[in-house]
Each structure stands twice: as structure tokens, then as C-alpha cells.
Amino acid sequence: KPFKRILMTGAAGGLGSRLREHLQEFAEIVRLSDVADLGPARPGEEVVRCDLADRDQVLEMCQGVDAILHFGGVSTETEFQPIMAANILGVVNLYEAVHKLGIRRVVFASSNHTMGMYRTTEIVDASMPTRPDGYYGVSKVFGESLSRLYWDRFGIETVCIRIGYCFPEATTHRQLATWLGLDDLVQLLRRSLLTPRVGHTIAFGVSDNPGKWWDDRHSRFLRYQPTQSSRPFADRVADAVDGSAPNEPALVYQGGPFLNIELKYKD
Ligand code: NAI
Ligand code: 15L
């Protein structure tokens, strides 16, 4: 196997639990971590409870690890405090540990909400300025930027995957454009972990959907070739009336429904 031990943060989450059985191909030991309960370790696994906001716990979690899939954190737009703790302080703690321990590569679950203020009529590529649509998007931009710093100063490699909509089914027009199938996500992780030199790369986590908004010209060297598409969901979605006026922010901007969530410092 390519690695002795890899770590996945956020392993109790939606993506973490769907990915769990697919991680064995990457390493002899898969260390799963979350602040939430993960149940008992299965063969080939280790389970570590860790709050990303706790610097000492993060250092401990990263001991003995060869590469990291960083999926832990707040995954939606909400009040700033928990985003700051898990996504901003959390990623600072993670990269500090990565540097101290000499870990060479990270795959960071970034998000399409780093550019949610582009319009749905625009095609976005990785060289365009970020345009986050809320605190959550800003926290992902922070992670992308911090990982860039650690590449430029210390040569630690990161692939930031701006994930679209990675759930089993697409049920809205926006989800048809942004959908990412699980097999395609696994392929992206494989290419991100195994491509010899990735430096600091921003890739788009999207399947081969008709009408997608993102152009992967800057990450083509990863040789990610999606084998899935949202096309099979299109018939069901075609007639769906979502009740929104065409000029509503949720339809105008790529960030979609996150545009309807108020910016909240605290509830
Ligand atoms: P999720 O919310 O189901 O899972 C996130 C996990 O992180 C949870 O198990 C949670 O307990 C853990 N977590 C939260 N705060 C933490 C903390 N302070 N310390 C340690 N762990 C903490 O989210 P999901 O859907 O599994 O997404 C995984 C990652 O991928 C997230 O970083 C999310 O932002 C990103 N992503 C997911 C997309 C999707 O379509 N599912 C789209 C774009 C990005
Ligand atoms: C995200 O970043 C979220 O983590 C996920 O739950 C979805 O809301 C997705 O974006 C999306 O844009 O649909």
C-alpha cells in the first residue's frame, strides 16, 4: 500500500462515513478522527477523538501519520464562533502539527462556497479570485491560503478540493450542476495522494455533469477523469418547481441556498 498510516479528520461526518470503507487501499493503517463518536475501530483502523480547536489534541492526533485527508470542521454557513474554532483555528493547529511532525502531504476538503458569489452564468477556474459567500466560505479560503503558505515556506504539499455537492442524489438544478459522485471523490483522493508532485493545487470536486460551472484547467495534471454524472437525476429534476423568482440570490449566485442564510456573528 502507498502509505503506512493516513489520517482522516471529520471521519464521523456524512462524507467521512461514506468514505470509511474506501480508505483501506491507501494505507496499512487508517486513523479516523472526529470530535463526535466513531464507534469501535475495525480491522486496519485506529480511532482518535479530537477537537480540532485544541492544539495539543491535534498534535497528538497527527503523530506517526504520513498523509492527511482533512475533512473535519463545520460544513455549512452558521454563526461565526464555531466556524472560527473548527475551520480557522482548526486548520492552523493542523498545519502547525504537520510542519512539526514532518508530514509531507494534505488533501483539504475545501468547498465551492469559496467562490459562491460568482454568478451561475459564469465559468470559474482556479486562477480566478476567490469570492466566498459567507463566513463558511471565508473559512475555506483561509484554509486554502494557509496551505499555500505552508507550501511556499516549507514545501508541504496540499491539494485543496473545492467540493460541489457530494450526496447520494441530486434533487435541484443547482445540485445537477455541482454534484460529485462518491466514486469520483475517491478517484480525486487517489490522484491527490499518489500523483508524485502536486505542490499547492486547487481542484474542483465535481462529476462529469452537463452544464457544470467549473473549469479544471489548472489541475489537469492530476489526471482526474470523472466516471460519474448527474445526468441520471436530470429527468426527475426537470419538472421540479422550486418556487423561487429567477432574480433571487439563491438562483443568481453559485452559492445557491447559502445566500439565504444571514451572516451571524453569534445567535
Ligand atoms: P459533516 O458536517 O457531515 O462532517 C464534518 C465532521 O467534522 C463532523 O463529523 C463533525 O463532528 C466534525 N467536526 C466539526 N467540528 C469539529 C471540531 N471542532 N473538531 C473535530 N471535528 C469536528 O460534513 P460532510 O458533508 O461530511 O463534509 C466533510 C467536509 O467536506 C467538510 O469540511 C465540508 O466543509 C467539506 N465539503 C462537503 C461537501 C459535501 O457536499 N458534502 C461540499 C463541500 C465541502
Ligand atoms: C458545502 O460546502 C457543504 O458542506 C455541503 O453540505 C453542501 O451544502 C454543499 O456545499 C453545496 O454547496 O451544496
Side-chain angles (χ1 to χ4, degrees):
K1 295 188 183 182
F3 296 99
K4 182 163 188 329
R5 185 185 278 105
I6 59 162
L7 164 70
M8 167 165 236
T9 67
L15 288 183
S17 40
R18 290 171 73 205
L19 286 168
R20 189 166 176 167
E21 62 182 295
H22 297 275
L23 301 179
Q24 302 283 340
E25 70 169 85
F26 299 128
E28 285 163 34
I29 304 164
V30 176
R31 182 177 292 168
L32 302 167
S33 182
D34 206 291
V35 74
D37 184 32
L38 278 154
R42 300 173 197 161
E45 290 180 353
E46 294 172 346
V47 164
V48 177
R49 190 75 80 98
C50 172
D51 182 348
L52 290 163
D54 185 313
R55 188 181 179 189
D56 297 334
Q57 286 181 23
V58 170
L59 185 62
E60 188 59 35
M61 166 183 78
C62 294
Q63 296 279 354
V65 158
D66 303 310
I68 300 179
L69 305 175
H70 183 46
F71 279 65
V74 173
S75 63
T76 190
E77 182 62 23
T78 182
E79 61 186 85
F80 179 65
Q81 294 287 348
I83 292 178
M84 181 177 74
N87 296 15
I88 296 183
L89 188 52
V91 84
V92 169
N93 290 339
L94 189 87
Y95 276 88
E96 190 199 28
V98 160
H99 182 221
K100 264 193 193 152
L101 298 172
I103 299 167
R104 307 301 311 160
R105 192 172 295 192
V106 180
V107 181
F108 172 52
S110 186
S111 169
N112 69 85
H113 293 282
T114 52
M115 42 192 194
M117 294 308 298
Y118 284 99
R119 288 169 186 261
T120 55
T121 49
E122 291 173 285
I123 301 295
V124 175
D125 73 50
S127 70
M128 292 162 71
T130 51
R131 295 181 73 179
D133 55 41
Y135 290 136
Y136 167 69
V138 169
S139 77
K140 292 295 187 181
V141 171
F142 182 87
E144 292 187 353
S145 180
L146 189 81
S147 56
R148 176 82 220 189
L149 169 67
Y150 273 80
W151 164 244
D152 286 337
R153 287 192 60 164
F154 307 118
I156 293 162
E157 297 193 292
T158 298
V159 178
C160 303
I161 305 177
R162 290 180 177 167
I163 302 172
Y165 180 81
C166 191
F167 290 83
E169 292 184 6
T171 59
T172 66
H173 290 283
R174 178 176 180 275
Q175 291 167 11
L176 286 178
T178 60
W179 188 74
L180 173 64
L182 191 69
D183 291 348
D184 283 344
L185 175 56
V186 172
Q187 188 197 149
L188 264 169
L189 296 183
R190 191 180 299 122
R191 301 308 307 144
S192 301
L193 285 171
L194 304 187
T195 300
R197 277 176 299 279
V198 296
H200 184 267
T201 296
I202 292 178
F204 293 98
V206 66
S207 285
D208 184 22
N209 308 330
K212 65 181 174 197
W213 304 324
W214 307 320
D215 175 337
D216 70 351
R217 67 179 63 219
H218 299 289
S219 59
R220 251 174 231 154
F221 72 94
L222 289 177
R223 292 190 289 112
Y224 161 61
Q225 278 164 345
T227 61
Q228 295 177 285
S229 166
S230 64
R231 207 169 273 111
F233 306 112
D235 284 348
R236 257 178 293 161
V237 176
D239 305 328
V241 180
D242 64 7
S244 322
N247 60 351
E248 267 189 33
L251 293 180
V252 171
Y253 297 104
Q254 295 195 4
F258 282 32
L259 272 294
N260 292 331
I261 307 175
E262 243 181 273
L263 281 189
K264 284 178 296 215
Y265 185 85
K266 207 171 183 326
D267 255 340

